[in-house]
Amino acid sequence: MRDIGGDSWDDYGFRFLENVASPAVELLAVGRQSRNSRAYDWENKERSPALLFQYTLNGSGRLQSGGQLYALKKGEAFFLQLPGDSRYYFEEESGSAPWEFIYLMMGGSGVLPYYLYARERSGEVFSLPEFHPAIAALWEIYYKAKEGRLQNAFAAGSEAFRFLCLLCASGTPISGSVPFLIERAQAYMKERYMQPITLEETAEYLGVSQSHLSREFFRYTGRQPIQYLTRLRLEAAAELLSATDKTLEEVGRCCGFSDGNYFGKVFKRHMQLSPGCFRKQARLQGYRHVKI
């Protein structure tokens, strides 16, 4: 760990001689830093192409992005595409020193879709508990780099890809018992997914605001209520397509979609197949149940 003027850092960059052309996922750098002065200031407009994930361990820093200013506190992360119209820095006047964080920098043709997926679900700045699987994986990458155990592009790339999958798969779920509100919301949607219910109706039934329901549901499950409802409907639709001869219009209406056209659009967007093509493949391959 290098220490100069109150700032300290322990960073590891990777450039492997042996690698495939245009790899899907590359580990470019990983590191842990502690910043205590205004000298730490990254303006990102002219930086080299990369995707940067950074997680605050202690203290606080600042992020400017999308016309917004964020105060980054312990347990909060950001995921940025570089170069870009963003800036992150330590502010001596109002920041809590030292700003300690761990980061991961990735490249490759396959990283962007995971970045976009994570950002769509979580927003510009999001909270993650210390025990989150993705944070645990990030620490593992850091220590493997520190101990010299990432000796080729394939091992390093697989670690970065594992981190991406854990970040996208887990969202921000909290371990332990699920609050009664979330249990009631899930039960309500399971009982009524075949009807054209909405998030507004669900929140009204539960006696809370839409924003509160969305925030708490995401906090404990890692997905938005509408994503949960859509998943219920698509799983039911997949089974009906496989096991019955109902028309696409009938299947859609049985699963809570307003009409067959809308059902077809939603199904294809999530399944990458039209309902008709899915039915043919499901019957050809002989499966009836699909987890979505």
Side-chain angles (χ1 to χ4, degrees), residues 126-142:
F126 47 98
S127 298
L128 293 173
E130 295 177 4
F131 52 80
H132 190 283
I135 301 304
L138 178 52
W139 278 111
E140 288 181 21
I141 296 171
Y142 168 71

Side-chain angles (χ1 to χ4, degrees), residues 162-201:
R162 177 170 173 263
F163 165 81
L164 287 170
C165 290
L166 289 171
L167 182 66
C168 291
S170 301
T172 55
I174 292 180
S175 298
S177 59
V178 177
F180 187 49
L181 171 65
I182 308 306
E183 291 181 341
R184 289 178 64 213
Q186 291 175 329
Y188 179 83
M189 287 186 278
K190 284 181 180 178
E191 292 172 1
R192 296 171 174 81
Y193 73 83
M194 69 291 297
Q195 304 168 16
I197 60 171
T198 63
L199 177 59
E200 181 181 5
E201 292 169 350

Side-chain angles (χ1 to χ4, degrees), residues 50-171:
L51 278 301
L52 169 68
F53 178 89
Q54 187 160 305
Y55 179 75
T56 297
L57 302 170
N58 282 298
S60 65
R62 296 291 183 269
L63 169 69
Q64 290 179 343
S65 182
Q68 299 289 324
L69 176 63
Y70 301 92
L72 303 163
K73 303 182 293 294
K74 179 179 179 179
E76 291 185 332
F78 62 78
F79 204 176
L80 295 177
Q81 183 177 11
L82 307 178
D85 188 15
S86 59
R87 172 190 174 215
Y88 56 95
Y89 56 96
F90 179 74
E91 187 173 73
E92 291 186 19
E93 292 76 12
S94 56
S96 175
W99 183 21
E100 299 179 14
F101 54 84
I102 187 170
Y103 74 89
L104 188 69
M105 191 170 289
M106 295 162 285
S109 59
V111 179
L112 185 60
Y114 291 86
Y115 160 79
L116 294 173
Y117 183 88
R119 283 286 300 270
E120 181 181 4
R121 297 179 73 197
S122 304
E124 194 85 27
V125 172
F126 47 98
S127 298
L128 293 173
E130 295 177 4
F131 52 80
H132 190 283
I135 301 304
L138 178 52
W139 278 111
E140 288 181 21
I141 296 171
Y142 168 71
Y143 282 115
K144 285 182 178 180
K146 189 178 184 71
E147 295 163 7
R149 291 191 284 146
L150 297 176
Q151 298 183 356
N152 61 71
F154 308 105
S158 67
E159 294 288 341
F161 184 61
R162 177 170 173 263
F163 165 81
L164 287 170
C165 290
L166 289 171
L167 182 66
C168 291
S170 301

Side-chain angles (χ1 to χ4, degrees), residues 6 13 16 26 43 49 82 90-91 125 136 147 150 166 190 216 241 245 251 256 273 278:
F16 297 103
E26 285 185 285
E43 171 62 60
L82 307 178
F90 179 74
E91 187 173 73
V125 172
E147 295 163 7
L150 297 176
L166 289 171
K190 284 181 180 178
E216 292 301 297
L241 289 168
D245 292 319
V251 171
L273 286 173
F278 174 85

Side-chain angles (χ1 to χ4, degrees), residues 234-252:
L234 290 176
E235 286 183 351
E239 184 159 347
L240 288 176
L241 289 168
S242 303
T244 75
D245 292 319
K246 291 181 180 293
T247 66
L248 301 187
E249 182 78 22
E250 290 172 330
V251 171

